[in-house]
Amino acid sequence: MNPAPGIRVKGCATLKGAPLFAPLTLELEAGQWTCLLGGSGVGKSTVLRLISGLATGAEFEGEITASDNAEVASRVAYMAQDDLLLPWASVSQNVLLGARLRGDKPDTDRLRRILDRVGLADHATKKPAELSGGQRQRVALARTLMEDKPVILLDEPFSALDAQTRAAMQELAVELLQGKTVLVVTHDPAEAARLGHSIIVMAPGGLTRCPHPPSPIPRPVDDLETLECQAALLRHLREGVA
């Protein structure tokens, strides 16, 4: 597979005639993790869906380009806020959904490895109704990891997990997505401080790029620089709604 490209989103969006987000330029560095924070309703999830080539309900004026000038949407794996699991399909069948829709031969060895890494090997034959919310979110994460695309878009990917599992899944995602261009939408300053090579706050008026620790990701949750970054991000977000 070719190296992961950088991605640029440049433009503005309206929803039913009202501005959704102002003209902006969002740069995703190739092979890096970008964390996008901001209040509800500023258009963060819309940006993910635009990059994915999915319907948004919004009118977008602008362009989405890759640094290698190749098409973007076909090289994206997207994990939505909702797990979007098929209720009649097993865990394994849900994780293999992409291959099935494309008519590809499923890579069952990779499937077993990923299910084991996300702690779901013993649940492979269960249906979504038999799983907890956190388990369902891990199935959705496994499905995204299974796609092995160069551009990964994650919308609140760890929000349903308890603190211990969240930290473990963050570390696993960083390991398995090494070298890929990753955009994470999150409401959690601690998550952004831990995972972001680049941290950007989105507001109705535009984007603000925020400082981040220089250490490699995933950063220790109790590292002083990580905690200071988390506190600074929280202050910035609170000032934005004051």
Side-chain angles (χ1 to χ4, degrees), residues 17-146:
L20 179 60
F21 56 77
L24 56 77
T25 300
L26 174 64
E27 300 271 5
L28 309 181
E29 295 294 329
Q32 303 286 296
W33 281 61
T34 300
C35 291
L36 184 63
L37 297 97
S40 298
V42 297
K44 303 184 300 300
S45 296
T46 298
V47 168
L48 293 188
R49 294 183 65 86
L50 287 169
I51 298 172
S52 300
L54 299 174
T56 65
E59 293 290 332
F60 176 66
E61 295 185 13
E63 59 181 7
I64 298 169
T65 55
S67 58
D68 57 6
N69 297 315
E71 195 268 342
V72 175
S74 65
R75 295 185 286 170
V76 167
Y78 168 58
M79 179 179 171
Q81 285 187 39
D82 298 325
D83 57 62
L84 302 179
L85 301 183
L86 301 178
W88 58 85
S90 69
V91 166
S92 291
Q93 290 168 335
N94 270 290
V95 174
L96 291 172
L97 181 62
R100 179 181 178 184
L101 292 175
R102 292 188 297 271
D104 296 341
K105 181 180 179 180
D107 187 341
T108 53
D109 288 338
R110 179 174 171 81
L111 169 67
R112 284 191 291 268
R113 290 196 301 271
I114 289 178
L115 288 181
D116 182 63
R117 295 299 303 276
V118 300
L120 294 172
D122 294 336
H123 303 279
T125 61
K126 290 183 178 180
K127 302 293 177 60
E130 301 175 79
L131 305 176
S132 69
Q135 289 170 331
R136 291 173 62 107
Q137 191 168 49
R138 280 184 278 156
V139 176
L141 176 62
R143 182 174 58 196
T144 305
L145 296 173
M146 191 75 193

Side-chain angles (χ1 to χ4, degrees), residues 229-241:
C229 178
Q230 173 186 342
L233 289 171
L234 181 57
R235 286 194 297 270
H236 184 96
L237 291 168
R238 294 188 67 180
E239 289 168 358
V241 298

